[in-house]
């Protein structure tokens, strides 16, 4: 069933478990994520991009499907699922992008103004919240900054408790992405995670905490983050790699046997590879069954 972010995350925060938020750009990824969630009977968050952003040069290349058609599929598929499914817009830099996605059917949006000044971040977050609340849509914001490529281990980009409290009091945001040592993409070096900071942030504000850049951590690291108070865990990169690995493996095996590969078999193998890693991580995040 289709739900908003709060319907999944508030319960998870209360009962101390994590929920995975997995990114999709194609039909197979949707099937992989929901297949894993339905098998484990756990709530799940599907993350979409702002595909209709006219300013994003790569938006068409990233998603060749017509955005409306694809979102109709995601919404329908989520709606008929026996588990709670939230459709969340990941990293949107603009108010307009959030509105576009709400119009297309997202039940949760992230306004990411973490690159702007603290005051600007508060102002645009409040604006998005005002529009979203009227539609029953929940809002995630980010303070501190989760870098894209290299880890910052000096501590200067980590979210402070003071910032989080001030941001929450001013905005009453539904969930908050915090910088606690993870980075987006593939880790160049071992991340230094601030476990104590997670616990301090959780105690300081009632909004569920979100961890971005969660690909590549180990089971123990996920466990510690969730125990300290991370509720939503964004996971994308390794899911993409797992799907591609499964396809490569099948191609290699077919070649070794002197056989040609068929698209349907490769596609199914890719989806199965993604589904397996999603299921594995639902376990690491300790997501509770419904
Ligand atoms: Zn992110």
């Amino acid at each position: 069933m289709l739900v908003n972010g709060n319907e999944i995350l508030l319960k998870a925060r209360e009962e101390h478990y994590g929920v995975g938020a997995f990114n999709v750009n194609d039909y197979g990824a949707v099937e992989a994520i929901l297949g894993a969630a339905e098998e484990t009977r756990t709530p799940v968050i599907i993350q979409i991009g702002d595909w209709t952003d006219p300013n994003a040069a790569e938006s068409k290349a990233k998603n060749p499907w017509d955005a409306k058609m694809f979102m109709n599929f995601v919404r329908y598929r989520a709606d008929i699922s026996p588990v709670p499914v939230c459709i969340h817009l990941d990293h949107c830099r603009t108010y307009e992008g959030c509105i576009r996605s709400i119009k297309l059917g997202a039940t949760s949006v992230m306004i990411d103004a973490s690159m702007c000044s603290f005051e600007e971040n508060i102002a645009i977050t409040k604006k998005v919240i005002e529009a979203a609340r009227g539609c029953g849509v929940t809002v995630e914001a980010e303070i501190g900054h989760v870098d894209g490529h290299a880890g910052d281990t000096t501590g200067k980009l980590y979210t402070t408790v003071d910032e989080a409290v001030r941001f929450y009091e001013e905005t009453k945001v539904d969930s908050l992405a915090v910088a606690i040592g993870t980075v987006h993409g593939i880790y160049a070096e071992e991340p230094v995670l601030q476990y104590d900071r997670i616990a301090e942030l959780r105690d300081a504000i009632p909004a569920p905490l979100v961890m971005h850049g969660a690909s590549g951590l180990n089971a123990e690291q996920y466990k510690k983050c969730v125990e300290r108070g991370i509720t939503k865990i964004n996971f994308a990169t390794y899911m993409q790699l797992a799907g591609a690995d499964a396809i490569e493996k099948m191609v290699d095996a077919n070649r070794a046997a002197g056989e040609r590969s068929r698209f349907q078999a490769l596609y199914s193998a890719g989806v199965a590879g993604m589904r397996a890693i999603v299921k594995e991580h639902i376990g690491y995040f300790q997501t509770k069954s419904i």
Side-chain angles (χ1 to χ4, degrees):
M1 72 218 72
L2 194 54
V3 300
N4 67 24
N6 281 349
E7 288 170 274
I8 289 178
L9 295 175
L10 293 180
K11 185 169 186 280
R13 184 187 190 276
E14 195 59 37
E15 299 184 13
H16 303 277
Y17 59 89
V19 177
F22 304 95
N23 292 67
V24 301
N25 283 301
D26 67 273
Y27 295 83
V30 176
E31 222 26 83
I33 295 161
L34 290 182
E38 287 161 6
E39 190 185 334
T40 52
R41 298 195 55 77
T42 51
V44 76
I45 299 167
I46 286 182
Q47 301 202 132
I48 58 164
D50 185 14
W51 299 305
T52 50
D53 179 359
N55 300 315
E58 77 282 22
S59 63
K60 271 270 180 291
K62 269 189 184 164
N63 182 49
W65 326 110
D66 173 81
K68 194 173 173 190
M69 181 176 81
F70 184 62
M71 276 296 284
N72 280 345
F73 164 74
V74 179
R75 272 187 70 97
Y76 176 74
R77 183 61 187 83
D79 216 20
I80 61 168
S81 179
V83 298
V85 183
C86 166
I87 302 174
H88 174 79
L89 171 67
D90 195 19
H91 285 286
C92 185
R93 293 277 162 92
T94 62
Y95 172 80
E96 291 76 15
C98 291
I99 301 303
R100 274 196 295 271
S101 292
I102 292 170
K103 210 174 151 196
L104 282 174
T107 57
S108 176
V109 294
M110 175 191 193
I111 176 70
D112 180 6
S114 62
M115 302 299 282
C116 303
S117 74
F118 197 70
E119 297 306 325
E120 284 170 326
N121 194 350
I122 286 174
I124 192 168
T125 300
K126 283 171 84 165
K127 195 174 160 190
V128 171
I129 287 173
E130 197 184 340
R133 290 256 160 90
C135 309
V137 169
T138 48
V139 178
E140 174 184 329
E142 176 172 323
I143 56 170
H145 183 65
V146 180
D147 209 351
H149 302 289
D152 176 89
T153 52
T154 63
K156 68 176 160 52
L157 291 179
Y158 296 135
T159 304
T160 67
V161 173
D162 284 352
E163 277 175 334
V165 169
R166 218 184 115 209
F167 193 87
Y168 179 77
E169 308 243 292
E170 296 255 6
T171 61
K172 296 287 187 287
V173 72
D174 295 301
S175 62
L176 189 61
V178 290
I180 46 93
T182 54
V183 298
H184 290 112
I186 298 170
Y187 285 98
E189 54 192 61
E190 191 65 19
V192 180
L193 303 179
Q194 306 287 301
Y195 297 114
D196 292 345
R197 184 67 57 84
I198 296 172
E200 289 161 14
L201 290 165
R202 190 202 185 272
D203 290 343
I205 61 165
L209 301 177
V210 183
M211 181 164 77
H212 283 240
S215 273
L217 302 186
N218 61 43
E220 186 59 26
Q221 288 170 316
Y222 289 125
K223 189 167 175 273
K224 278 189 180 172
C225 288
V226 167
E227 279 172 2
R228 302 296 194 282
I230 290 292
T231 302
K232 173 173 176 272
I233 302 157
N234 287 13
F235 188 85
T237 305
Y238 274 42
M239 189 180 129
Q240 286 297 315
L241 296 179
D245 282 350
I247 291 173
E248 282 172 9
K249 214 171 138 190
M250 184 173 268
V251 170
D252 288 346
N254 287 346
R255 284 208 178 120
E259 286 166 17
R260 291 184 67 186
S261 301
R262 285 174 188 264
F263 172 75
Q264 186 60 58
L266 295 181
Y267 180 83
S268 298
V271 171
M274 287 195 284
R275 177 173 167 159
I277 200 171
V278 170
K279 187 183 167 192
E280 184 188 346
H281 282 73
I282 287 172
Y284 294 153
F285 305 157
Q286 301 161 67
T287 315
K288 247 195 207 171
S289 296
I290 55 165

